[in-house]
Amino acid sequence: MKIVYISRSIIPSRTANSIHVMKMCNAFASLGHEVTLLAPWTKKLEEKDITDIFEYYGVEKNFELKKLFSPNIKYLKKRIYSLRCLSEVKKINPDIVYGRDDMFAFYLTQKSGYFTLFEKHEPYDGEGFNDFFFTKFMNANRKSAKLVVNSNELRKMYHTRCELSMDSILAANNGTNPIADEKIPEGMTLDTNRVHIGYVGSLFKGRGIDIIIELAKRIPSADFHIIGGKDKDLEFWKSQVSLDNLIFYGFVEPKETYKYRNMCDILLAPYQSDEEGNRSSRYMSPIKLFEYMSSKKAIVCSNFKVVYEALNDECAMLVESSNLQQWEEAVHTLMNDKDKREQLAINAYEKFLKYHTWQARAQKILEYIESNR
């Protein structure tokens, strides 16, 4: 089939949504489909000095990326970009228009007669430009397949708030790709007599960086590695603490992050609840968890209900998000029990291979489309 994927992600950039978009287009194409990704051309916001976008994201160049100019004009920016997307869709004449973030563009392609399916990663509050056109899009949608979301909790929310039948919403968790090798970062020297504990991801509020810092203080016998983060967040946390066993690495290109996971024995995902600063925690399907699972490493994670869509007690240690004692006990348990670390890691990896690769996600979405067009 011919698929056009529409996105508002800045490509290339450091954002998780840009990684998601590139990986999904790669997965659709790997299943034998002709894929064109439309993304805004916004030079000022793009990551600098990237010579090969596909190589930067670590994906095969098996789909076409078309950048459409998106002028920085208040109130008109989204509308102009969406109209440009419609024009491009008409030139390509695809079998399916798919994607996320730009609701107006999908409303326009649906009105123009194209089979259009939209993916939502955020809760619905009925306010703003996107939700206005989301409602119009849903009201005009006569197909059985109406929406794709990335968690079962989000599926339930749209069923309740938007009065959509459960059958018309597909929950497809995010994913990642299997790791190609066991390399660690070039030039990295690790003390093999110490346990290495890692975190890969954003450093903003709600990600539990304060939990990791406290663990580093309480467990001086282990080394803690924090990979990722914007420069301003990195500067903030570095100004708060200085410990010999806590190392901040800053931003690492997406294709290189697996090497940092490889060097760790234990990986942490200390997500915090809505009340603790993370608005999306109830509905999230973080790519981080699937990347952790693919790394064959023991995982300690916050025990949110939505997390159980990826993990369970047989493939991770799940603890209360803000209970520092539970975090410390879980880390100590894994530090002192190598067999438990290895068994959890194997269980997580096997679950990942079966359910949570990008290709498996793409296949699930395409099968849903075919059975409901």
Side-chain angles (χ1 to χ4, degrees), residues 85-310:
C85 287
L86 175 62
S87 176
E88 202 62 40
V89 166
K90 287 180 175 179
K91 291 177 191 174
I92 298 169
N93 192 28
D95 300 293
I96 298 169
V97 177
Y98 188 83
R100 53 180 292 194
D101 301 327
D102 197 328
M103 198 65 246
F104 186 44
F106 294 100
Y107 172 73
L108 293 174
T109 59
Q110 183 189 67
K111 280 202 69 171
S112 298
Y114 295 97
F115 179 84
T116 305
L117 190 61
F118 185 69
E119 184 168 321
K120 272 274 199 179
H121 291 202
E122 306 82 22
Y124 175 86
D125 57 21
E127 299 177 1
F129 184 80
N130 266 350
D131 277 353
F132 173 77
F133 278 101
F134 173 78
T135 302
K136 289 177 72 69
F137 177 88
M138 287 299 156
N139 289 340
N141 191 339
R142 298 292 175 259
K143 304 291 184 182
S144 299
K146 296 189 185 299
L147 182 65
V148 174
V149 294
N150 64 345
S151 72
N152 280 308
E153 289 301 302
L154 206 54
R155 181 174 179 240
K156 293 173 190 173
M157 189 278 296
Y158 276 98
H159 166 66
T160 303
R161 292 188 192 175
C162 300
E163 299 182 347
L164 298 173
S165 72
M166 292 293 272
D167 289 342
S168 69
I169 311 169
L170 174 69
N173 293 128
N174 288 329
T176 193
N177 291 327
I179 291 173
D181 55 58
E182 297 181 2
K183 292 179 183 175
I184 66 171
E186 190 175 347
M188 183 73 69
T189 302
L190 298 172
D191 185 344
T192 55
N193 294 316
R194 292 171 67 83
V195 173
H196 297 273
I197 301 170
Y199 167 88
V200 183
S202 302
L203 306 187
F204 52 78
K205 189 176 181 182
R207 287 298 187 258
I209 306 305
D210 50 339
I211 294 284
I212 299 173
I213 289 172
E214 285 303 314
L215 289 174
K217 290 177 181 176
R218 294 186 178 202
I219 312 174
S221 59
D223 286 336
F224 289 78
H225 306 268
I226 297 181
I227 299 97
K230 294 181 179 179
D231 292 343
K232 65 176 183 178
D233 296 323
L234 199 61
E235 289 172 12
F236 170 78
W237 290 111
K238 281 185 172 182
S239 70
Q240 301 297 303
V241 65
S242 177
L243 299 170
D244 291 338
N245 67 328
L246 179 65
I247 307 105
F248 289 92
Y249 294 86
F251 173 74
V252 172
E253 289 188 5
K255 67 183 177 74
E256 295 291 314
T257 54
Y258 80 94
K259 295 178 183 178
Y260 289 82
R261 298 195 302 272
N262 281 347
M263 73 186 190
C264 297
D265 303 294
I266 300 167
L267 294 168
L268 306 178
Y271 293 107
Q272 299 300 287
S273 68
D274 293 350
E275 295 77 17
E276 295 156 342
N278 186 9
R279 179 177 173 268
S280 65
S281 63
R282 182 178 174 185
Y283 305 111
M284 65 182 181
S285 176
I287 294 173
K288 181 205 317 294
L289 292 187
F290 306 111
E291 290 179 336
Y292 281 10
M293 293 168 77
S294 75
S295 297
K296 299 182 188 175
K297 305 294 178 181
I299 302 166
V300 187
C301 182
S302 301
N303 64 350
F304 296 146
K305 187 176 180 180
V306 72
V307 164
Y308 282 89
E309 295 181 28

Side-chain angles (χ1 to χ4, degrees), residues 6-18:
I6 299 176
S7 171
R8 284 207 61 85
S9 298
I10 305 303
I11 298 172
S13 71
R14 303 181 180 188
T15 61
N17 62 51
S18 74

Side-chain angles (χ1 to χ4, degrees), residues 51-115:
T51 55
D52 186 328
I53 291 174
F54 293 86
E55 196 262 345
Y56 171 77
Y57 284 101
V59 299
E60 180 187 354
K61 195 173 184 178
N62 60 355
F63 63 94
E64 184 176 3
L65 169 61
K66 285 194 174 183
K67 307 287 279 295
L68 306 180
F69 182 63
S70 180
N72 192 18
I73 305 172
K74 198 174 183 181
Y75 303 120
L76 292 177
K77 183 177 181 178
K78 288 184 177 180
R79 292 167 175 81
I80 292 171
Y81 175 70
S82 298
L83 287 165
R84 287 179 183 272
C85 287
L86 175 62
S87 176
E88 202 62 40
V89 166
K90 287 180 175 179
K91 291 177 191 174
I92 298 169
N93 192 28
D95 300 293
I96 298 169
V97 177
Y98 188 83
R100 53 180 292 194
D101 301 327
D102 197 328
M103 198 65 246
F104 186 44
F106 294 100
Y107 172 73
L108 293 174
T109 59
Q110 183 189 67
K111 280 202 69 171
S112 298
Y114 295 97
F115 179 84

